[in-house]
Amino acid sequence: QVRLVESGGGLIQAGGSLRLSCAVSGATISFYPRGWFRQAPGKEREFVAGIKWNGETTYNRDSVKGRFTISRDNDRFTVYLQMANLRPEDTGVYYCVAGGDIRQSPRSWGQGTQVTVSS
């Protein structure tokens, strides 16, 4: 069973940067697509970014517009989300996902890590 564990969230001022990490335990998923979702207070979860095993990436352009970068280290089964120029509207719980249709219906979810951007 895949277990995803996020880290790197926290409180940061607008304009700052954070890097989220997602580690895996319980299975070898080097070839799984990986990604990130987020959920802002009072809103539905939305897709943020995804990455295939070969490094091909996809983003929710409307929400991140080049400020976020997803990457992965297949040797360490870890995925990263580098977030720059953060805005208060980026506040929310960020979830690591893996497998399945990474934009619509990921197979596995982490517990989430809170990101709070103050103005």
Side-chain angles (χ1 to χ4, degrees):
Q1 183 176 354
V2 174
R3 180 168 177 260
L4 306 174
V5 180
E6 304 94 337
S7 61
L11 173 64
I12 192 164
Q13 288 189 332
S17 298
L18 278 177
R19 189 177 80 157
L20 305 183
S21 299
C22 176
V24 178
S25 64
T28 301
I29 60 170
S30 296
F31 297 99
Y32 280 27
R34 306 280 295 277
W36 294 90
F37 275 66
R38 69 183 182 186
Q39 186 167 23
K43 295 187 177 181
E44 294 186 353
R45 286 181 186 180
E46 66 171 355
F47 170 77
V48 175
I51 186 167
K52 294 182 178 179
W53 69 271
N54 61 358
E56 181 181 336
T57 59
T58 180
Y59 295 93
N60 182 341
R61 295 290 180 187
D62 289 343
S63 65
V64 302
K65 296 181 179 178
R67 298 181 295 120
F68 292 5
T69 303
I70 188 171
S71 61
R72 65 190 292 165
D73 182 337
N74 287 336
D75 291 336
R76 298 184 179 184
F77 311 117
T78 300
V79 172
Y80 306 96
L81 185 68
Q82 181 69 48
M83 306 184 292
N85 191 20
L86 284 161
R87 304 167 181 169
E89 53 264 39
D90 294 317
T91 293
V93 179
Y94 283 70
Y95 297 90
C96 175
V97 295
D101 181 334
I102 210 66
R103 291 187 69 109
Q104 300 294 332
S105 55
R107 184 177 303 159
S108 302
W109 292 75
Q111 292 298 307
T113 185
Q114 177 70 44
V115 172
T116 303
V117 184
S118 62
S119 57

